[in-house]
Amino acid sequence: MAQVEATTERIIAADPEAVFDALADYKEVRGKVLPGQYSEYEVREGGDGEGTLVHWKLQATSKRVRDCLLEVTEPTDGQLVEKDRNSSMVNTWIVTPAGEGRSKAVVTTVWDGAGGIGGFFERTFAPKGLARIHDELLANLAAEVEK
């Protein structure tokens, strides 16, 4: 099995603290900024960054639905890590300054891919599909914090 990785980034016209706080707000903000590929969103514990346990289903393709139960940690300032209890998937969000009143938000998702020909297609196409989903999420986040 090879590791599959998808990374997406966006410059947002808001201070890094505001962007990070919005990302870490699973109670109010996160559910609002998720694109249509997400369903059954539910905060099960916590709701603000470290210690949050959140559930959602992610429909990456018409046939592929991933049931996710994510534990949230904040290993360093400006970093949010979501580890899926149901799979090897890990989302890492990093928010850094990008000039006066601007931030760079980067999300990287990694997981253990399948082997064989299925794994080849997964490594080839899944990162592009996930990048489109994350790009929409980051656009929604920007619209939320740039108000």
Side-chain angles (χ1 to χ4, degrees):
M1 289 191 300
Q3 195 167 64
V4 183
E5 180 175 318
T7 300
T8 307
E9 64 181 63
R10 185 178 196 92
I11 300 297
I12 299 175
D15 289 328
E17 296 80 21
V19 174
F20 185 82
D21 288 349
L23 264 178
D25 183 352
Y26 292 86
K27 284 183 189 166
E28 301 296 326
V29 178
R30 188 60 82 89
K32 288 195 296 189
V33 301
L34 292 176
Q37 293 88 348
Y38 290 84
S39 64
E40 298 184 31
Y41 180 85
E42 176 188 19
V43 176
R44 297 199 176 160
E45 293 175 17
D48 184 23
E50 180 90 28
T52 296
L53 182 65
V54 63
H55 171 267
W56 60 62
K57 287 191 177 177
L58 173 60
Q59 184 157 1
T61 68
S62 60
K63 295 179 182 176
R64 176 76 182 190
V65 178
R66 189 181 285 256
D67 190 344
C68 303
L69 183 60
L70 300 121
E71 296 176 349
V72 179
T73 59
E74 293 182 31
T76 62
D77 283 350
Q79 185 180 40
L80 203 59
V81 177
E82 302 166 339
K83 291 184 180 175
D84 187 10
R85 287 185 179 175
N86 298 334
S87 73
S88 61
M89 187 180 77
V90 178
N91 298 317
T92 302
W93 300 85
I94 299 174
V95 180
T96 55
E100 187 68 31
R102 294 164 58 88
S103 307
K104 181 165 93 170
V106 180
V107 56
T108 301
T109 300
V110 295
W111 69 93
D112 296 332
I117 191 72
F120 168 78
F121 284 104
E122 182 179 24
R123 289 187 303 279
T124 303
F125 297 108
K128 292 174 183 145
L130 192 55
R132 280 192 299 276
I133 293 168
H134 282 161
D135 190 54
E136 186 177 346
L137 191 159
L138 288 171
N140 294 345
L141 177 67
E144 181 70 23
V145 297
E146 292 173 356
K147 288 179 180 175

